[in-house]
Amino acid sequence: MSEVFHLGLTKAMLKGAKVAIVPGDPARSERIAKEMENAEYLNSTREFTSWLGYMDGEPIVVCSTGIGGPSVSICVEELAQLGVRTFLRIGTTGAIQPHINVGDILITTGAVRLDGASQHFAPLEYPAVADFACTNALYNAALSQGIRPYVGITASSDTFYPGQERYDTFSGKIYPKFQGTLKQWQDLNVMNYEMESATLFTMCAALGLKAGMVAGVIVNRTQQEIPNEATIKSTEQKAVAVVVEAAGKMAKA
Ligand SMILES: O=P(O)(O)O[C@H]1O[C@H](CO)[C@@H](O)[C@H]1O
Ligand SMILES: O=c1cc[nH]c(=O)[nH]1
């Protein structure tokens, strides 16, 4: 019987895992787990697909969050109830700086809080920052794989379209609050857009949990809007390898 409301998981199923890898896409959970030893399917409910794997004998749970802050907050809360203390997000992302290319790997140290869910954990003045040890583990994992990641700030939006100032929509309309914001974030040296890190970082910092994030760039908003399938796959593969190695290090720490 599940010991938590949504995930359909128990402490026994997690085998004492203290570290979780949290992708957005449920289909990514299996691919991540299979990069580890003894991958085992655990459960799938709503957007939460969970697997268990091992790195050097240390259990690591993989559980997808789905898209956006509200479901991240459920995933993190329920995994924490089951004993997890460290959360490494692996995502896809859209770069907004012209020098960051599709296929590059980004490590997020802090997030612009364009979400709503993080405000349920701390006021807007509170920073959405990653845990230093998680960031360090992700950075070293990238270097050990011959990847030189970009490290910096991510804009984390509740919406994919207006909040990331996309005009290529059916209406082409954007509420005034978001008009001109892509340029504003570019000028403020923000690297990219995604949709979960603000909630993840704020919630984890506020609750005394650790969080980090690595992402693969699948579009550059200054170049093109629609990603190429083959590029998504190869970029995701690189980011997965980084997060798995970092999770192994965090599980041993
Ligand atoms: O690839 P994932 O982890 O889902 O991350 C990104 O992709 C989704 C949008 O397409 C959002 O969840 C965004 O944060
Ligand atoms: O542009 C992008 C690409 C992936 N995910 C996002 O949230 N935005």
Side-chain angles (χ1 to χ4, degrees):
M1 230 229 334
S2 179
E3 290 168 5
V4 287
F5 198 109
H6 299 89
L7 303 186
L9 298 174
T10 63
K11 278 192 177 163
M13 290 164 86
L14 263 54
K15 307 279 179 5
K18 294 269 178 288
V19 174
I21 297 176
V22 286
D25 182 0
R28 207 176 294 145
S29 291
E30 178 174 359
R31 296 201 285 274
I32 295 167
K34 288 189 170 166
E35 295 297 319
M36 299 192 271
E37 302 141 18
N38 300 323
E40 179 194 348
Y41 170 76
L42 296 181
N43 202 9
S44 192
T45 60
R46 299 176 183 254
E47 57 268 70
F48 310 112
T49 294
S50 50
W51 283 69
L52 192 74
Y54 295 80
M55 291 292 283
D56 291 329
E58 299 289 340
I60 291 165
V61 62
V62 184
C63 186
S64 56
T65 62
I67 289 181
S71 60
V72 168
S73 74
I74 289 172
C75 180
V76 170
E77 169 59 37
E78 294 188 9
L79 288 176
Q81 287 179 23
L82 298 173
V84 176
R85 296 292 177 263
T86 298
F87 297 84
L88 296 176
R89 165 163 156 70
I90 178 259
T92 57
T93 192
I96 60 172
Q97 297 295 340
H99 64 278
I100 300 181
N101 293 311
V102 168
D104 283 343
I105 297 297
L106 309 186
I107 293 172
T108 298
T109 52
V112 183
R113 292 174 59 187
L114 302 176
D115 67 323
S118 72
Q119 294 181 61
H120 292 211
F121 294 91
L124 258 185
E125 292 82 1
Y126 189 92
V129 283
D131 172 75
F132 178 75
C134 291
T135 302
N136 210 26
L138 290 165
Y139 185 71
N140 288 331
L143 292 188
S144 90
Q145 291 170 34
I147 296 166
R148 190 154 279 282
Y150 288 97
V151 180
I153 300 169
T154 291
S156 191
S157 163
D158 262 354
T159 52
F160 184 81
Y161 292 100
Q164 301 185 20
E165 209 185 351
R166 283 188 156 89
Y167 292 97
D168 57 336
T169 56
F170 92 96
S171 70
K173 285 188 197 166
I174 295 195
Y175 180 65
K177 174 179 171 177
F178 290 110
Q179 291 175 17
T181 49
L182 192 151
K183 168 87 171 64
Q184 172 188 284
W185 303 129
Q186 277 176 336
D187 289 346
L188 291 169
N189 295 314
V190 170
M191 303 186 295
N192 63 310
Y193 279 121
E194 58 79 74
M195 300 176 67
E196 291 80 22
S197 60
T199 306
L200 178 70
F201 289 172
T202 306
M203 157 177 204
C204 285
L207 301 180
L209 302 167
K210 294 178 194 295
M213 168 167 142
V214 61
V217 177
I218 59 166
V219 287
N220 182 306
R221 298 289 308 287
T222 68
Q223 294 161 14
Q224 97 290 16
E225 284 290 348
I226 304 294
N228 165 307
E229 274 302 318
T231 317
I232 296 178
K233 246 193 163 153
S234 63
T235 307
E236 183 191 287
Q237 197 54 35
K238 278 197 263 182
V240 166
V242 170
V243 82
V244 165
E245 186 175 329
K249 291 279 159 29
M250 290 303 293
K252 275 204 165 318

